[in-house]
Amino acid sequence: MIEIEASEFEELGSECGDLVPEIRLTDRARRRIRDRANTNFVARRSGVPIGFLVGYDEPDGYFYVYLFGVAPASRGAGVGSSLFDYLEEWVSKRGLVGIRLQSRNKYPDMLRLMIRRGYAIVGFEDRGDLDASPIRLEKKTLTPQEDGGRKDS
């Protein structure tokens, strides 16, 4: 069973800093997160961290996912879906407009996950290398009143 819980950023950094080889919690990333009121979630199985999500509220009512990762040994086991299930419900309960994030072509599993979940591609920044060019995605989240109690998947 996958458990999701909120975590302080520094705690998340010490627990999950090396969990995902593709993601490094650089000093720049730490400064960007520390300068904002951030919300962070850790996915665990049997108490062991297997994934995480770091983000913050944007002024226009969206929640921005700044970092997201799943440990290589846990990929394909529903960890990412569990984190986003939890996040989407949390965002909806708070009455936020939706969720935004960026990914890149070099992360096709992430792009497929987001598209399957109903996220729309809303932007692309050509940096001259398709693998390094950010792809922006977003999904408007139903409020509990609009949702009628139905869980979005």
Side-chain angles (χ1 to χ4, degrees):
M1 179 176 179
I2 299 169
E3 297 125 11
I4 311 290
E5 62 184 25
S7 175
E8 294 296 321
F9 183 68
E10 290 306 321
E11 182 182 323
L12 180 139
S14 66
E15 275 193 303
C16 301
D18 295 323
L19 187 66
V20 180
E22 302 90 343
I23 298 175
R24 292 285 168 244
L25 294 177
T26 63
D27 288 341
R28 179 177 171 264
R30 290 176 195 276
R31 277 192 307 275
R32 182 172 177 176
I33 292 300
R34 277 193 204 113
D35 290 345
R36 293 176 167 84
N38 58 77
T39 303
N40 316 290
F41 301 106
V42 176
R44 299 175 192 281
R45 182 175 284 126
S46 301
V48 177
I50 54 175
F52 65 91
L53 189 150
V54 174
Y56 49 83
D57 292 356
E58 293 191 309
D60 64 356
Y62 277 83
F63 183 82
Y64 184 76
V65 176
Y66 182 63
L67 294 172
F68 163 75
V70 175
S74 296
R75 292 179 186 167
V79 178
S81 290
S82 293
L83 278 162
F84 274 91
D85 284 345
Y86 190 93
L87 177 66
E88 289 170 10
E89 184 174 331
W90 180 83
V91 164
S92 177
K93 284 179 180 174
R94 292 184 60 227
L96 295 174
V97 174
I99 299 168
R100 286 189 180 127
L101 59 109
Q102 287 188 158
S103 191
R104 292 174 166 64
N105 278 321
K106 67 181 177 179
Y107 303 122
D109 291 339
M110 172 72 169
L111 292 169
R112 282 191 291 274
L113 173 66
M114 296 296 92
I115 290 168
R116 266 195 324 267
R117 297 189 66 82
Y119 286 73
I121 295 172
V122 296
F124 174 79
E125 182 184 331
D126 187 353
R127 292 189 179 166
D129 175 357
L130 284 178
D131 280 347
S133 297
I135 300 167
R136 292 181 190 83
L137 300 106
E138 71 180 44
K139 178 180 182 180
K140 291 199 177 193
T141 306
L142 297 176
T143 64
Q145 296 81 15
E146 294 171 321
D147 192 25
R150 181 179 46 102
K151 184 161 171 113
D152 188 355
S153 54

